[in-house]
Amino acid sequence: MINSSLKQLGQQLASKQVSSVELTQAYLQRVTQLNPAINAFITLDEEKTLAQAKAADARIAAGDFGPLTGIPLAQKDIFCAKGWRTTCSSKMLETFIAPYDAHVISQFDAAGAVNLGKTNMDEFAMGSSNETSYFGGVKNPWDFDRVPGGSSGGSAAAVAARLCAAATGTDTGGSIRQPASLCGFTGLKPTYGLVSRYGMIAFASSLDQAGPMAKSAEDCALMLNVMAGFDERDSTSVNREKEDYTRGLAAMTGEQPLKGLRIGLPKEYFAEGLSAEVAKVIETAIAEYKKLGAVIVDISLPNNNLSIPVYYVLAPAEASSNLSRYDGVRYGHRAAEYNDLQQMYMKSRAEGFGAEVKRRILIGTYVLSAGYYDAYYLKAQQIRRLIAQDFVEAFKHCDVIMGPAAPSTAFKAGEKTSDPVAMYLEDLYTIAVNLAGLPGMSVPAGFTQSGDGKPLPVGLQIIGNYFDEARMLDVGHAYQQVTDWHTQMPAALENI
């Protein structure tokens, strides 16, 4: 059952082969058994979860249900969920109970999905390894000595270890796609504005985007059908007609379902910085796409090398503004002892934020300060435009762009914590997509071997044009019809 797709689980629930309560209890039991070792979940509330499962069973009995009704999903702890502790993995919000639902949460509630619990993450989504969490790092289920990636590392580990049927994540610079690559599942970052950010605790508002994390492209399509849609409470939400992202999946069978599809391969993605082992896996995946009928087109994204410095000017600038609200007055951590108001602010923020969050607040405040705004922030915005224009030009010659989702496989915990720049380079191939506001996804493409013989997953990144998620999902699904990488799970956990 734990390896069943969302579609299969939905069919089992609809045919009464299993109840939502039984399915939910099975996942809760697995979480109880494995989470102490993996640390994927921060908050569980069995009473609330089982109440939702019972309500889902009642809906199914009444014939009022959809594809996700009764299915237990994990929610990244960046989404406010009414009555649930919502921490963003920070001491600053350690005891915060959300008084309302994020749009994403309310959409899943309306669909009848079950909230299994809130997952661990890098503090305020700042990190690429899930080691900045106040609640401790998450372990990669493929090798407990390695990181799952970040910031959506808890959701990633939960999906990989089959602690949930699927999960939500957010992607500011690669925080869905990079952990999807490191943990061996499918993760999708939608076009900016396709999924409402209402109730999603802000990191960098012009870059943050929520998306699905699941075993397969088909599962992600089912989740995106629920998540996507206009929300008037979010000024960046795009008002466009809803789509059925599963509509083309059935056609992705036969000898050459992708005949004529133009795949762009940026030369910058296969240059210095890419692990030779990862490159080999990606090249094998591209060869498989050729067999499916795709045509390879060589393209260039000349400003891709500037995406990391641009991102680490713009994202901290927005973070310094967004996080200024955490002052110990209205909500959030307040220091126990202080002499005056200013000292209360200083001590509360010093105690409440971790080292990486403080680093980014300081950088952001610096680049926005008088005398430096034009030299750093304004210049970064200008280069951001050039990066986006590179993609516009590239899509004149191809339908989708492919390459690695991450430059390497999962690295060992602690290996890069003392070198922020090395950590930032983990998002080498993902950040430009966020800067341009494009959709991108990672699909499992194979494995490399670690030094001790453990298989480590590699993800293939698929980048689409604006609002072209349906085509991307079709392309990912076609590949998953002829490969089984997405069905594999860590051998040590298979019989648990």
Side-chain angles (χ1 to χ4, degrees):
M1 186 170 62
I2 61 171
N3 277 318
S4 297
S5 68
L6 294 182
K7 184 177 180 179
Q8 290 168 336
L9 289 175
Q11 291 169 343
Q12 291 168 24
L13 288 163
S15 62
K16 310 295 196 316
Q17 294 178 47
V18 67
S19 70
S20 178
V21 168
E22 291 169 338
L23 182 62
T24 301
Q25 286 175 330
Y27 276 114
L28 284 171
Q29 183 178 356
R30 190 169 173 83
V31 171
T32 300
Q33 192 170 9
L34 293 175
N35 194 61
I38 297 174
N39 199 28
F41 283 87
I42 293 175
T43 300
L44 298 166
D45 191 324
E46 188 171 324
E47 184 178 343
K48 284 189 177 71
T49 297
L50 289 176
Q52 282 190 312
K54 289 175 185 175
D57 281 333
R59 284 183 59 170
I60 293 169
D64 174 28
F65 61 92
L68 298 186
T69 303
I71 297 179
L73 306 177
Q75 304 288 355
K76 183 175 180 179
D77 201 33
I78 199 169
F79 297 105
C80 290
K82 188 175 182 179
W84 285 80
R85 186 171 70 140
T86 302
T87 71
C88 232
S89 285
S90 177
K91 181 178 180 179
M92 183 60 77
L93 292 174
E94 182 180 8
T95 60
F96 176 65
I97 306 297
Y100 68 100
D101 284 327
H103 178 78
V104 165
I105 298 292
S106 62
Q107 289 291 91
F108 280 117
D109 284 351
V114 176
N115 185 352
L116 196 60
K118 307 295 286 297
T119 57
N120 206 342
M121 55 182 281
D122 279 305
E123 184 182 9
F124 283 102
M126 298 181 193
S128 300
S129 65
N130 216 136
E131 293 176 283
T132 69
S133 170
Y134 173 68
F135 300 97
V138 177
K139 309 297 184 184
N140 189 318
W142 291 93
D143 183 345
F144 283 6
D145 291 331
R146 296 177 185 269
V147 302
S151 64
S152 306
S155 289
V159 173
R162 308 301 193 258
L163 303 184
C164 59
T168 56
T170 62
D171 193 311
T172 304
S175 293
I176 288 175
R177 290 160 290 151
Q178 186 248 16
S181 178
L182 271 52
C183 288
F185 62 90
T186 306
L188 171 67
K189 173 234 175 274
T191 303
Y192 182 76
L194 186 68
V195 178
S196 171
R197 294 184 300 107
Y198 178 80
M200 189 174 92
I201 297 171
F203 163 20
S205 301
S206 74
L207 299 164
D208 299 341
Q209 189 60 204
M213 305 172 74
K215 291 186 280 290
S216 67
E218 182 181 52
D219 285 359
C220 284
L222 287 169
M223 291 183 70
L224 192 59
N225 277 350
V226 172
M227 299 175 75
F230 176 65
D231 177 14
E232 63 182 9
R233 298 168 299 181
D234 174 10
S235 62
T236 62
S237 178
V238 178
N239 192 354
R240 65 193 304 271
E241 191 174 338
K242 282 184 73 73
E243 295 183 50
D244 176 9
Y245 295 101
T246 67
R247 65 184 186 275
L249 300 182
M252 294 297 107
T253 57
E255 191 172 326
Q256 287 195 323
L258 298 178
K259 188 174 182 178
L261 179 81
R262 299 172 300 165
I263 296 176
L265 297 183
K267 64 180 183 181
E268 292 81 8
Y269 284 9
F270 298 90
E272 185 181 356
L274 178 63
S275 157
E277 289 182 308
V278 170
K280 186 176 180 180
V281 171
I282 298 302
E283 288 164 5
T284 302
I286 299 298
E288 197 65 52
Y289 270 104
K290 288 182 183 179
K291 295 178 186 177
L292 293 170
V295 178
I296 304 303
V297 179
D298 292 326
I299 61 170
S300 178
L301 299 172
N303 292 294
N304 185 74
N305 66 314
L306 297 174
S307 59
I308 288 181
V310 166
Y311 177 88
Y312 283 101
V313 169
L314 298 181
E318 295 185 24
S320 72
S321 176
N322 280 325
L323 270 60
S324 64
R325 71 194 70 177
Y326 303 108
D327 55 13
V329 176
R330 289 161 288 189
Y331 57 90
H333 173 76
R334 179 184 291 188
E337 297 180 4
Y338 47 86
N339 296 323
D340 53 35
L341 184 63
Q342 184 173 356
Q343 191 180 68
M344 186 202 74
Y345 288 153
M346 293 171 65
K347 291 186 69 174
S348 297
R349 289 170 66 82
E351 294 171 5
F353 291 133
E356 182 61 27
V357 175
K358 290 175 184 175
R359 180 184 293 115
R360 298 198 192 191
I361 290 173
L362 288 170
I363 292 171
T365 304
Y366 177 79
V367 301
L368 289 175
S369 62
Y372 297 101
Y373 179 92
D374 289 351
Y376 294 104
Y377 184 78
L378 183 60
K379 183 62 69 177
Q381 289 286 25
Q382 291 169 337
I383 299 173
R384 179 182 190 175
R385 177 62 180 169
L386 296 177
I387 291 169
Q389 191 59 43
D390 286 347
F391 283 105
V392 171
E393 186 61 33
F395 280 117
K396 292 178 181 177
H397 308 285
C398 63
D399 302 307
V400 296
I401 295 170
M402 289 188 185
S408 64
T409 51
F411 49 93
K412 291 198 172 182
E415 187 177 312
K416 301 186 179 184
T417 50
S418 61
D419 187 350
V421 175
M423 188 75 78
Y424 297 164
L425 288 171
E426 282 299 307
D427 298 326
L428 179 64
Y429 305 118
T430 54
I431 281 177
V433 176
N434 296 79
L435 292 171
L438 290 164
M441 66 186 291
S442 175
V443 297
F447 294 88
T448 68
Q449 295 294 319
S450 66
D452 50 9
K454 294 178 181 177
L456 297 176
V458 174
L460 170 72
Q461 182 173 206
I462 304 170
I463 302 168
N465 213 335
Y466 297 106
F467 303 108
D468 209 10
E469 284 81 0
R471 191 208 299 262
M472 290 168 49
L473 288 161
D474 289 349
V475 170
H477 184 66
Y479 178 71
Q480 291 176 342
Q481 298 311 292
V482 296
T483 61
D484 65 352
W485 306 120
H486 64 290
T487 67
Q488 299 185 34
M489 66 174 289
L493 306 180
E494 283 181 358
N495 299 318
I496 298 176

